[in-house]
Every structure is written in structure tokens, then in C-alpha cells.
Amino acid sequence: SSPVVGTVLSRIEASRVLDTIATGLRVGLPLIESLDNALRVVVNRQFHGDLCKAIEAIMGGAGVGVSFRRYTRIPRFATALIEVGEVSG
């Protein structure tokens, strides 16, 4: 597929992942459970593998925003917002 189509598909996956995580947290699920639920909505194998790496880093103590930025194709503006939220509480 073309780079434009790949970018659009990555953003759709990112949106679904972030929506799933936000919904889980909003209803009171722990972060790790929300992340596991997010894995279930990912269709793209590459994105799934990248998200698994990010979750491993998070479980190892790394920040969510930093892990998403480092391992996934979640857009930079989204990871920056997550990082700001983590710092500000």
C-alpha cells in the first residue's frame, strides 16, 4: 500500500487503541487491563507487535507516553499529551 494509506491506517489503529484505553480508565479499570483490552482491538500485526513492546516497557516501569512514542506509531501530539498528563498527575 502507499505511504499515505499506511499513515491513515496507522492513525485509525492509534485512535481505536487510545479510545479503548481511555474508556477502560474512565470506568475504573487498571491501566494494564486497559492496555490489554486495547491489544484486542488492533487489526494490524505490526501495530500489535509494536503495542506489545510498549506494554512490556510500561510494565517494566517506563512511562506510557514515552513507551508509546518509542515503540508505536501513535502520533507525536497524542504521546506528548499523555506525557504531560503523566507529569502533571
Side-chain angles (χ1 to χ4, degrees):
S1 66
S2 75
V4 172
V5 171
T7 299
V8 170
L9 294 176
S10 286
R11 290 193 179 195
I12 290 169
E13 288 280 39
S15 176
R16 290 172 34 200
V17 163
L18 294 174
D19 284 344
T20 301
I21 294 167
T23 300
L25 294 174
R26 197 174 306 117
V27 300
L29 293 177
L31 175 61
I32 298 302
E33 190 172 340
S34 297
L35 292 167
D36 284 340
N37 288 340
L39 277 174
R40 294 187 186 111
V41 303
V42 175
V43 176
N44 180 280
R45 279 184 273 158
Q46 179 66 45
F47 200 100
H48 188 276
D50 293 345
L51 186 57
C52 284
K53 290 177 192 169
I55 291 171
E56 286 178 27
I58 293 163
M59 291 176 66
V64 176
V66 170
S67 298
F68 282 176
R69 180 171 34 90
R70 185 171 296 147
Y71 296 107
T72 73
R73 294 180 185 176
I74 292 175
R76 179 72 177 114
F77 71 88
T79 60
L81 288 173
I82 294 167
E83 289 178 56
V84 168
E86 288 178 301
V87 170
S88 64

